[in-house]
Amino acid sequence: MSDRPAILLVCLGNICRSPLAEGAFRAEATRAGVDAEIGSAGTAAWHVGKSPDPRSIAAARAGGVDISKQRARQVTPGDFNRFTHIFAMDDKNLADLEATAPPGATAEVRLLLDLVEFRAGASVIDPYYGDEEMFAYTWNTVSEAARQFFAETAG
Ligand code: 4NP
């Protein structure tokens, strides 16, 4: 089981984007029949212990996925060895992760949208100050990345 993927999705607050990404990766892992560990975390500690933003819960629910039981947590140094893949939602998250990675970290750390054709190097825009439509767009974006990940893993 040493090649079981362990995927951590990371944003700033762990209440908007990365909970959606965690839900999308769980749904796609199930669909692909892949046994994977999947989690999410924030680079900041502001929202630790909180449920996802209600707008994220609603957007995932519209896509058939319940993310309401998730609780926010902050990235820890141990995550860099526990997970095989750490995906950052944006450039700032990536820079913060690279700055906090402990020596000897084994996880591959990259931008989530590097998984998506024509969107490599792009960021998942924070919908926090946006409207419902932005949350639906974010759900679609992270779902596409999740599909690509498991298409490559299964293929
Ligand atoms: P997230 O969005 O990083 O996608 O969870 C945010 C949530 C909260 C804040 C910023 C971004 N905030 O400033 O509290």
Side-chain angles (χ1 to χ4, degrees):
M1 297 305 271
S2 59
D3 54 356
R4 179 179 186 242
I7 304 142
L8 185 68
L9 293 313
V10 174
C11 64
L12 176 60
N14 193 209
I15 57 167
C16 294
R17 290 166 292 176
S18 59
L20 286 171
E22 178 181 338
F25 271 72
R26 286 188 188 285
E28 289 304 324
T30 301
R31 208 162 284 151
V34 174
D35 178 32
E37 178 180 350
I38 297 161
S40 66
T43 56
W46 308 318
H47 300 286
V48 168
K50 287 196 201 154
S51 302
D53 187 289
R55 297 166 296 176
S56 282
I57 293 174
R61 186 169 290 140
V65 177
D66 179 14
I67 65 165
S68 66
K69 308 287 189 301
Q70 293 183 28
R71 295 295 178 268
R73 72 168 181 88
Q74 191 175 23
V75 175
T76 67
D79 288 331
F80 291 88
N81 290 305
R82 173 176 159 203
F83 291 91
T84 55
H85 300 75
I86 300 180
F87 289 114
M89 298 299 125
D90 66 33
D91 287 337
K92 177 71 165 68
N93 307 148
L94 183 63
D96 288 342
L97 285 167
E98 285 169 347
T100 53
T106 51
E108 178 189 275
V109 184
R110 52 196 293 226
L111 283 173
L112 182 71
L113 291 184
D114 284 352
L115 292 167
V116 180
E117 200 175 15
F118 307 124
R119 298 191 71 183
S123 292
V124 178
I125 296 163
D126 193 345
Y128 189 60
Y129 296 105
D131 57 12
E132 259 178 44
E133 223 176 302
M134 280 270 300
F135 280 79
Y137 177 73
T138 305
W139 171 253
N140 290 337
T141 299
V142 299
S143 294
E144 179 59 25
R147 275 192 292 277
Q148 287 302 322
F149 181 86
F150 290 105
E152 285 167 24
T153 301

